[in-house]
Amino acid sequence: MTAWRPARCRDLSGPARCATLFVLVLLLAAGCDTAGEARVDASRADPIVAVDTGRVEIHTATDTILVSVEIAETPEQTTAGLMQRDSMPPDEGMLFLFTEPRTTGFWMFRTRIPLDIAFLDPDGRIVEIRQMEPCPSPNPQFCEQYAPAVPYMAALEVNRGFFDERGVGIGDRVERQYGFDSLSP
C-alpha cells in the first residue's frame, strides 16, 4: 500500500523531501491562522493609520467628563477614522480636527461599531450630536452620510449612547487637556 502524498510531492525527488515539504506547509498554514487571529485582535485596538493620542474634557452644566482620544488631523487619518474596529473601550473616542470650517458629513464605511458624533464649533462647543450606524455595504457610495446642519471645526466620535448616558448635550464644551484653549490643530 502506498502512503498518501499531495500531488505536487510526487514530482519531488525522494520521499523524505516530500514529507518535509508537507510538514512545512502544514506548519505554515497553522502559523498563518494564528497570525490572522492576532491581526484581527490588533485591528480592534490599533488604528489602521498612525495617530497621536491625548485627552479631552467634556464640560457639562453639572460634570466634567474625561475621554482618551485618538487625534485625526491629516486627510489619511480622518478618512481611516475608526474603520475596522470591533469595539472601543467605554471612555475612549476619536477627535477629528480641521483647519477650515466644514459642512460635509461623516460616513460609517467599514466601521463596525455604532457611534455617537458631536460636531464642534471653533471654541469646542457642541453644535450638533448624531447617532451613526455601521454601514454593511462593501461599496462606500451606499453608506449614509451624517452631516450637521451647521459648519463645524472638529468632531468627537464615541461609542453609541455615551453622550446620553453622561448627560452631554448641545452647548456643552469639549476642551483638549493640558492648557489648550481651542481644538484647532
Side-chain angles (χ1 to χ4, degrees):
M1 180 172 188
T2 306
W4 179 86
R5 291 184 290 178
R8 291 183 183 182
C9 291
R10 291 182 193 133
D11 297 332
L12 296 174
S13 60
R17 186 175 197 182
C18 183
T20 302
L21 180 62
F22 185 70
V23 169
L24 284 174
V25 168
L26 287 176
L27 288 173
L28 285 172
C32 288
D33 286 345
T34 303
E37 289 172 12
R39 277 194 301 274
V40 169
D41 290 344
S43 73
R44 180 189 65 73
D46 296 333
I48 59 176
V49 175
V51 294
D52 287 332
T53 58
R55 295 182 77 175
V56 297
E57 296 176 342
I58 304 173
H59 299 280
T60 70
T62 60
D63 203 1
T64 298
I65 302 152
L66 295 176
V67 181
S68 296
V69 293
E70 295 174 16
I71 302 168
E73 299 177 85
T74 69
E76 295 81 16
Q77 292 168 334
T78 58
T79 298
L82 292 169
M83 283 182 176
Q84 300 180 11
R85 312 278 182 99
D86 294 320
S87 67
M88 184 168 52
D91 292 325
E92 292 187 12
M94 180 167 271
L95 179 66
F96 296 82
L97 301 175
F98 304 101
T99 56
E100 298 290 327
R102 297 176 57 101
T103 55
T104 58
F106 281 63
W107 62 359
M108 296 286 285
F109 179 63
R110 293 188 179 158
T111 304
R112 300 174 182 151
I113 52 178
L115 299 170
D116 284 346
I117 186 168
F119 295 96
L120 314 171
D121 73 9
D123 295 323
R125 296 245 178 252
I126 297 174
V127 295
E128 190 169 328
I129 294 175
R130 302 279 310 266
Q131 294 184 332
M132 302 187 298
E133 288 293 328
C135 177
S137 177
N139 185 338
Q141 294 176 337
F142 297 114
C143 295
E144 182 177 349
Q145 290 254 340
Y146 297 90
V150 296
Y152 62 97
M153 289 293 296
L156 176 62
E157 287 182 344
V158 292
N159 285 308
R160 168 70 65 74
F162 180 93
F163 295 130
D164 284 341
E165 291 166 6
R166 290 162 181 82
V168 176
I170 306 298
D172 291 338
R173 189 164 184 261
V174 177
E175 183 178 285
R176 286 172 78 173
Q177 280 193 321
Y178 310 115
F180 291 100
D181 290 331
S182 77
L183 294 171
S184 300

